[in-house]
């Protein structure tokens, strides 16, 4: 398997390793970082944890997304989301978005945007996808609800209590959100969607989705 092809398949596992490395870094040297920068590192770690849940353990997000978000019924491991668009969205787009926050933590409006962007995962995973799949769990739901949302709320509360900044820092990120989501999420997926793409997800992603969706649907009341 060529290096890029290998990376497109296992990038989320590499992200898990990066998460562990950052955990040690924050645990040992985190107190030496400015508070705002430390928060931005934690948001990046939350992203890595979230992606690990989606694509590695328990995995199955590709099939869940293609069915729950895009309504695909047949090509769940390839259309419209495939490995190429997934690595583009999650690594080449999302990583820089969060890393900029780490190094430019003095930009309060950007820090607030990262908090909004992170917490918005709850809307997609815990509401939109679960509603579409008629389930109470989809890959990424746990980390969105119990890691990303609490972290974002805590950060915003602490920020409001300890920092003074212009009011536009609250509403400008909301205005920017749909534009950034379009450019970093929808555009790559639309650009790389092909039913005959060579970047199909591994079969286990489809299998894991079926297992998880089946378990999550045990208590569903059929109409």
């Amino acid at each position: 398997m060529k290096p890029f092809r290998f990376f497109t398949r296992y990038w989320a596992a590499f992200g898990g390793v990066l998460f562990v490395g950052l955990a040690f870094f924050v645990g040992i040297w985190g107190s030496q970082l400015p508070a705002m920068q430390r928060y931005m590192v934690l948001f990046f770690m939350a992203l890595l944890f979230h992606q690990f849940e989606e694509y590695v353990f328990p995995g199955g997000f590709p099939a869940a997304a293609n069915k729950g978000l895009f309504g695909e019924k047949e090509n769940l491991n390839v259309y419209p989301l495939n490995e190429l668009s997934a690595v583009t969205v999650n690594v080449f787009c999302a990583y820089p978005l969060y890393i900029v926050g780490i190094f430019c933590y003095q930009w309060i409006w950007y820090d607030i945007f990262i908090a909004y962007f992170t917490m918005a995962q709850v809307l997609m995973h815990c509401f939109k996808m679960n509603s579409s799949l008629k389930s109470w769990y989809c890959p990424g739901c746990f980390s969105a609800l119990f890691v990303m949302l609490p972290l974002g709320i805590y950060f915003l509360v602490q920020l409001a209590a300890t920092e003074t900044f212009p009011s536009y820092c609250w509403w400008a990120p909301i205005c920017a959100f749909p534009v950034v989501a379009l450019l970093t999420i929808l555009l790559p997926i639309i650009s790389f969607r092909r039913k005959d793409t060579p970047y199909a997800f591994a079969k286990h992603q489809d299998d894991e989705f079926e297992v998880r969706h089946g378990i999550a649907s045990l208590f569903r009341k059929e109409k």
Side-chain angles (χ1 to χ4, degrees), residues 75-134:
N75 305 286
L76 296 183
N77 68 332
V78 72
Y79 187 86
L81 183 69
N82 55 55
E83 287 190 335
L84 181 58
S85 55
V87 74
T88 302
V89 169
N90 290 281
V91 177
F92 303 138
C93 291
Y95 277 26
L97 202 66
Y98 280 76
I99 291 173
V100 166
I102 294 174
F103 289 99
C104 301
Y105 62 91
Q106 302 94 334
W107 300 350
I108 301 297
W109 63 270
Y110 195 88
D111 299 336
I112 293 176
F113 169 79
I114 291 296
Y116 289 165
F117 193 83
T118 300
M119 292 189 296
Q121 298 298 322
V122 172
L123 299 177
M124 181 180 74
H125 287 273
C126 301
F127 292 96
K128 176 61 175 77
M129 291 181 66
N130 280 337
S131 175
S132 298
L133 298 172
K134 295 181 175 60

Side-chain angles (χ1 to χ4, degrees), residues 21-34 37-38:
L22 287 173
F24 276 102
F25 174 80
V26 172
I28 298 173
W29 296 288
S31 60
Q32 301 178 25
L33 299 176
Q37 189 174 40
R38 187 164 61 249

Side-chain angles (χ1 to χ4, degrees), residues 199-217:
Y199 292 96
F201 286 103
K203 186 63 171 61
H204 71 82
Q205 291 286 5
D206 194 3
D207 295 338
E208 288 168 4
F209 161 71
E210 292 300 337
V211 172
R212 297 296 168 182
H213 182 56
I215 293 174
S217 303

Side-chain angles (χ1 to χ4, degrees), residues 69-70 80-81 85 88-89 93 117 124 177-193:
L69 292 179
F70 302 106
L81 183 69
S85 55
T88 302
V89 169
C93 291
F117 193 83
M124 181 180 74
F177 184 88
V179 177
V180 175
L182 174 65
L183 294 177
T184 63
I185 300 175
L186 291 180
L187 186 59
I189 293 175
I190 293 173
S191 300
F192 296 124
R193 60 178 178 178

